[in-house]
Amino acid sequence: MNKHQQASLATRRKLVTAALEIFKEKGFGTVVVEDITRAAGVAKGTFYSHFKRKEDIVIEICREPFRCACEEAVQSEDDILTTLERYYRRFLECIEIYDMNVCRAWVRDVIDPNGAPEDRDNHKWDYDVRSLRSIFQNAVDRRELRPDTPVELLTHLLVSQLYGMMTCWCMSDGRFKPQEWAERFCAVQMPSILIPYLISGKP
């Protein structure tokens, strides 16, 4: 990476850091691009050389923690139930680590397909589906799950559960506790969903 690329990356990080602090303090809706650039100490035009709109910066804020959680789960050599339980916990930690205002803005952007990035590889739903599909397929390949396991069905079922918990947290203004419900789901429902497909026949 040359000096120009390093400087560009440093500016991008500065914008992300400034935006996160302002979103936490003021909420997403009231913040404008000028607020972010002022806090970051850069010109307004600099923002648009990195992001098209303020919504894109929310995606950037959340991308790295989610990427780490997904890669950790996909590369895990633990049994499928342990892997999925850890994935659920890490996924929801990524949601709760940031302020609810950030999460709400992120949820709005992800739910609206018209607001999705042009690069579909970076769209959150697609990324999560691919990650969970890989977790299930790895378990099939190592003969932990039966070959006829409905990978697509299970993938979308579990992604929907995660997104439901995340949305309930936002809708309840924090009264719904994602980590608590994830723990219950993983202890009670997850085994019953997977038992029919486990080659050992038991969790």
Side-chain angles (χ1 to χ4, degrees):
M1 186 181 294
N2 60 38
K3 289 184 178 180
H4 175 74
Q5 291 170 323
Q6 290 175 346
S8 178
L9 181 59
T11 300
R12 188 180 183 92
R13 287 175 176 162
K14 190 186 297 184
L15 285 164
V16 169
T17 300
L20 176 58
E21 293 307 311
I22 294 175
F23 292 155
K24 286 182 177 180
E25 178 186 347
K26 297 183 177 180
F28 180 80
T30 62
V31 174
V32 296
V33 169
E34 287 88 343
D35 295 327
I36 298 171
T37 56
R38 190 180 307 113
V42 301
K44 183 177 177 181
T46 301
F47 179 93
Y48 292 107
S49 68
H50 292 275
F51 302 100
K52 290 184 178 179
R53 57 202 181 119
K54 69 173 182 176
E55 288 80 3
D56 293 340
I57 211 166
V58 175
I59 295 173
E60 183 76 13
I61 287 169
C62 300
R63 178 175 289 138
E64 184 63 17
F66 278 118
R67 185 189 64 77
C68 292
C70 289
E71 287 185 359
E72 177 185 296
V74 170
Q75 296 168 8
S76 173
E77 296 182 3
D78 290 325
D79 65 87
I80 184 69
L81 284 167
T82 300
T83 298
L84 288 171
E85 181 178 356
R86 186 183 301 116
Y87 177 72
Y88 261 55
R89 186 172 63 251
R90 294 275 280 113
F91 186 101
L92 294 169
E93 283 173 358
C94 291
I95 293 297
E96 292 182 288
I97 196 172
Y98 298 118
D99 183 82
M100 191 175 295
N101 289 320
V102 175
C103 185
R104 284 176 174 148
W106 180 83
V107 169
R108 280 193 299 269
D109 199 62
V110 171
I111 285 175
D112 180 6
N114 296 313
E118 294 177 7
D119 179 3
R120 291 295 298 177
D121 288 340
N122 287 326
H123 189 262
K124 188 71 175 83
W125 171 264
D126 295 334
Y127 183 80
D128 292 334
V129 167
R130 285 198 309 272
S131 298
L132 265 170
R133 184 189 294 126
S134 295
I135 293 170
F136 281 116
Q137 192 57 55
N138 288 345
V140 171
D141 292 344
R142 65 176 180 250
R143 295 181 174 81
E144 184 180 0
L145 294 177
R146 289 167 32 186
D148 62 346
T149 297
V151 169
E152 286 299 312
L153 174 63
L154 296 179
T155 294
H156 284 84
L157 176 64
L158 295 194
V159 169
S160 298
Q161 285 287 337
L162 277 171
Y163 276 63
M165 291 179 190
M166 177 177 62
T167 304
C168 286
W169 183 57
C170 291
M171 291 174 64
S172 71
D173 204 26
R175 293 187 304 276
F176 178 89
K177 305 298 182 186
Q179 290 290 351
E180 291 179 14
W181 283 98
E183 186 175 334
R184 295 178 189 179
F185 177 80
C186 290
V188 177
Q189 291 178 276
M190 190 85 80
S192 65
I193 291 170
L194 292 183
I195 281 173
Y197 310 108
L198 288 170
I199 288 178
S200 66
K202 59 181 180 179

